[in-house]
Every structure is written in structure tokens, then in C-alpha cells.
Amino acid sequence: MQTFESEHYIFHCGANTAAARDIRKIAALQEGCFSHICAVLGLTPDFRIEYFLCDSPEEVGHIYGDDDPCNGFASPPDRIYAVYNETVQCVGFHEDAHIISYRLNRPDCPAVREGLAMYFDRKWWGIENLDWTGYYLKTGRYLPMDKLLDREFFCAHDSPFTYPIVGAFTDWLLTVYGRERYMEMYSRRNPAAVMEQVYGKTPAELNADFERYVRLYRTDGALEARMEELLRQENAV
């Protein structure tokens, strides 16, 4: 693999690949994501992040060493493995948010970890997290946040449902209660257990407030039809 370095990253990719062709564009994107994540979280890693940009999920698994195909994942403390080809580009905020936030802590709760990464992503399949959450409430498919905080419940449901909801909830928490309280919660091993202490409300009460907030927004019929089609395409309905 060939290497390209920028201020906060070391990129590895195969010669004559889509990643090699676009490496300067990728580096500029990730540097922008890095700056924003650090500014929001008030954290700056003391190392450069290593990206391994691969042609396929199979190559990701092979280079990582477990031969388990995957589109992308963060490998603490400082590595990211991701597919980048003509049709799939797993770059942007998500995995970087994991690596940077893990400098503070890596909570046991996947809803909190993925919620923060999805807060930075803002979108799932190009549609805002809040729009997905509102649509799930409208169609009876919403998963309550107090239940999603349970690892087994979170992992038992498909990511097109869990990820946008926890992303929208994280956005709401940060907007309503601020970064200081959020980072206090994130710094705990089991954030769900300290939510009432940090926010003065139980997870169920926070979920009720969040639901009321989400219901203030409406989406048009064309967007809802697009959501349903995307879910059908991914066999999520």
C-alpha cells in the first residue's frame, strides 16, 4: 500500500485505486471533520489517525487481520479501516468521532457511542436523523431511547432504526443541556446509569421530552415515500 500524510492523518491505500486517485480530496474532507469534532468535544488527540482505505469489505477484513468483511470500523486507539471505491465511500465524520471521543472514554453503552457518531454524521442514507425519527414515531416504529440504552435491546434491532434515533437524541441532549453535561455523562463507563444524576431526569423522562420535541416537526409525503423505499431496498421492513 502507498502512504499519504496530512496534518492529523496518515492514509494507506492501494496503488491505482479510487482512494489513491482521490487521496487529496479524502485528506481535505477528514481534516475538516477532525477540526469540527475536536471543536465540539473540546478534545484534541496527541497522535495522528491512521486510515486504511480498501477496495472492498473483504479487503478491510484481510488487512485488519480477522478476515471478517466490513465496510468500516474504528480500531482504537488510532486506526480506522474503511472501504473506498467507486460506489462505497466510508469516509467522513463517523469513525473519526469514535476515535477522537475515545480519548475521553469508551462507554459500554453502544447507543451512546453510536449516538455521538451519528450526531456528527447528521444523516442516514442522505436523510436527516430527525426526519427518520419523526417518521418512525408517525408509523409506530419508534424505539424508545430509555430502551435503546440497554445493550441487548439496541443490538437486537436493525441499524436503520437505531442509528438515526440515537443520533437525533444526542443532538437534542447537546442542544438542550449543553456540552458540559453531555461530556460528564459520556465520561462514565455506564452513561445510562448516571443520566438522572447528570440531567435531573430519568432516561424514561428524557425520552418523553425528546418525543414531544420530535413531534413538533413534520416531513412531506415525498420524503416519507423515499424513506419507505430505502427501507424496502435494505430489507429493513
Side-chain angles (χ1 to χ4, degrees), residues 144-162:
M145 269 306 309
D146 51 316
K147 296 186 182 299
L148 284 170
L149 292 169
D150 177 78
R151 171 187 289 273
E152 290 187 7
F153 185 88
F154 181 91
C155 294
H157 292 82
D158 291 338
S159 54
F161 297 93
T162 58

Side-chain angles (χ1 to χ4, degrees), residues 84-226:
Y84 191 97
N85 57 36
E86 298 296 344
T87 57
V88 178
Q89 292 96 38
C90 290
V91 291
F93 283 106
H94 197 100
E95 305 304 340
D96 303 57
H98 284 318
I99 290 293
I100 294 169
S101 65
Y102 291 168
R103 298 306 296 158
L104 174 64
N105 187 37
R106 187 179 183 182
D108 286 342
C109 180
V112 172
R113 296 197 308 268
E114 298 303 336
L116 183 59
M118 284 301 297
Y119 160 76
F120 285 106
D121 279 344
R122 296 287 177 184
K123 299 180 180 181
W124 180 268
W125 293 335
I127 297 172
E128 294 282 343
N129 294 328
L130 184 62
D131 288 327
W132 282 110
T133 305
Y135 185 58
Y136 293 147
L137 273 169
K138 179 178 179 179
T139 58
R141 289 178 281 189
Y142 174 75
L143 303 172
M145 269 306 309
D146 51 316
K147 296 186 182 299
L148 284 170
L149 292 169
D150 177 78
R151 171 187 289 273
E152 290 187 7
F153 185 88
F154 181 91
C155 294
H157 292 82
D158 291 338
S159 54
F161 297 93
T162 58
Y163 277 50
I165 293 171
V166 298
F169 180 72
T170 303
D171 191 355
W172 177 78
L173 277 182
L174 282 163
T175 300
V176 174
Y177 292 98
R179 183 179 75 181
E180 184 176 342
R181 284 204 218 180
Y182 182 84
M183 298 303 281
E184 180 183 351
M185 178 199 71
Y186 193 88
S187 68
R188 307 298 183 88
R189 186 169 183 83
N190 184 2
V194 299
M195 276 194 168
E196 186 170 7
Q197 174 187 337
V198 172
Y199 293 113
K201 294 186 177 183
T202 65
E205 289 171 330
L206 289 169
N207 177 74
D209 289 348
F210 174 60
E211 284 191 37
R212 282 191 289 270
Y213 165 73
V214 174
R215 292 185 190 279
L216 298 173
Y217 295 89
R218 297 290 182 267
T219 55
D220 64 34
L223 183 58
E224 291 181 349
R226 175 63 177 155

